[in-house]
Amino acid sequence: MKRCIYLAVLLLTASCTARTDHNLNSVLWVQTAAEYPANCHQAYNSALMNIDAAIADSRWTGALEQTNDFSDLPPAVIFDLDETVLDNSAYQAQLVKEGSGFQLSSWDQWVGMRQAGSIAGAVEFINYLQNQGVEVFFITNRECRKRSGSASPCPQEKDTIENLNALGISGIKGSNVLLKNEYADWVSEKQGRRAYIAEKYRILMLFGDDLGDFIPGVQNDIAPGKRREIAETYHANWGTKWFIIPNPMYGSWYKVLKTPPSTYLQGVTAKDSEK
Ligand SMILES: [Mg+2]
């Protein structure tokens, strides 16, 4: 009997460990490593060095969707929100602590709490843009969905603006926060929303934590190697027009891996001469 109880405890411990370990290192890195905010500052400081030239040069655009005659259009910069401007690592940490996974219901609760922090360097850079008269847009896959107790079809928009206000980003209009499903064709793929902004603005720069914040067609059903090739194609844009914040916790980089992800690990292979 004792042996059975011991085995049961052992199995339970093993299964709990497996679940809670998922994402542990990634969230720890974001929440404790000095290297993480240093990376974020690196991105926003690089942008700050280039932004005045981008504003002054009417031939400058940072969006692949900008195929119109844009030289006379007013300047704008597009940001993703989550893990680009807003730090949701507390939500991710809670999932690790509870041994649970992402669910729209718990995520929506978190959005409603308006307690996301700010990514290092983001608030200062956005304030600089606003002072220079550059229009600031957010294209986010935070999703418009009805919430019990709210009459609004999209309470998430107000939550997000209030959260930004609390962090020191004010003056953001609802029309400048483009959420997923706010309109029927505003889907996870962000290309359509970038094109929508490109019609009326000269898009100077893009900020994101996911390749999909910059390039269309890289979020689903695409091999990791192909994504790397595509990112490499645009190597001149990184750090000049496109600024990416590291996100080891989640993203389309992980979604495109088929299960089990460990099959993608490339270990050491002995050379023929050593065999
Ligand atoms: Mg994001």
Side-chain angles (χ1 to χ4, degrees):
M1 181 65 184
K2 253 186 180 174
R3 194 180 147 88
C4 283
I5 293 172
Y6 174 75
L7 270 175
V9 168
L10 201 68
L11 283 170
L12 197 66
T13 309
S15 76
C16 285
T17 304
R19 283 188 289 130
T20 52
D21 272 355
H22 175 72
N23 235 2
L24 174 63
N25 278 5
S26 304
V27 179
L28 274 180
W29 188 73
V30 168
Q31 293 199 325
T32 70
E35 289 82 353
Y36 174 62
N39 262 280
C40 303
H41 279 304
Q42 184 168 260
Y44 280 108
N45 284 340
S46 305
L48 200 56
M49 283 171 61
N50 278 346
I51 191 66
D52 290 341
I55 295 169
D57 182 355
S58 62
R59 295 161 304 169
W60 176 299
T61 178
L64 301 177
E65 291 78 11
Q66 191 103 57
T67 52
N68 50 350
D69 179 8
F70 56 81
S71 58
D72 289 332
L73 297 178
V77 170
I78 299 177
F79 295 84
D80 165 56
L81 275 171
D82 295 314
E83 275 50 70
T84 299
V85 174
L86 295 177
D87 172 359
N88 303 287
S89 62
Y91 171 75
Q92 295 296 331
Q94 195 60 32
L95 296 183
V96 174
K97 284 181 162 199
E98 291 170 2
S100 53
F102 176 88
Q103 288 194 326
L104 258 182
S105 53
S106 63
W107 170 251
D108 194 49
Q109 253 182 346
W110 164 252
V111 169
M113 288 165 71
R114 308 172 180 183
Q115 284 183 15
S118 60
I119 298 293
V123 174
E124 295 80 0
F125 184 70
I126 290 169
N127 287 341
Y128 181 81
L129 293 177
Q130 290 175 316
N131 288 335
Q132 300 304 310
V134 176
E135 198 74 13
V136 172
F137 285 97
F138 299 101
I139 297 183
T140 176
N141 282 344
R142 287 185 167 213
E143 194 171 337
C144 281
R145 60 201 306 256
K146 286 234 170 209
R147 190 187 285 153
S148 63
S150 170
S152 166
C154 187
Q156 296 79 10
E157 185 167 85
K158 187 160 187 277
D159 290 334
T160 300
I161 291 172
E162 291 291 326
N163 199 153
L164 289 169
N165 277 339
L167 297 172
I169 300 172
S170 53
I172 302 296
K173 293 174 284 185
S175 53
N176 284 34
V177 183
L178 286 65
L179 293 94
K180 178 179 169 183
N181 293 343
E182 197 172 349
Y183 293 95
D185 57 345
W186 289 6
V187 292
S188 291
E189 168 62 62
K190 294 183 172 181
Q191 181 183 26
R193 284 177 279 173
R194 284 193 295 270
Y196 172 80
I197 295 169
E199 284 173 21
K200 292 184 178 162
Y201 292 88
R202 179 165 66 90
I203 300 168
L204 307 180
M205 292 176 173
L206 303 176
F207 288 77
D209 66 308
D210 191 295
L211 206 55
D213 295 323
F214 309 88
I215 304 170
V218 291
Q219 287 187 296
N220 299 303
D221 297 326
I222 176 169
K226 185 69 188 164
R227 296 176 90 250
R228 285 197 159 195
E229 264 176 42
I230 294 171
E232 186 59 28
T233 308
Y234 296 105
H235 62 89
N237 283 7
W238 301 112
T240 54
K241 296 175 172 180
W242 296 354
F243 300 88
I244 192 155
I245 305 297
N247 182 1
M249 301 182 293
Y250 66 89
S252 52
W253 70 269
Y254 193 76
K255 271 193 222 161
V256 300
L257 303 182
K258 312 289 180 199
T259 51
S262 59
T263 58
Y264 289 84
L265 292 173
Q266 295 168 38
V268 178
T269 46
K271 288 180 191 163
D272 282 348
S273 57
E274 293 167 1
K275 279 179 188 167

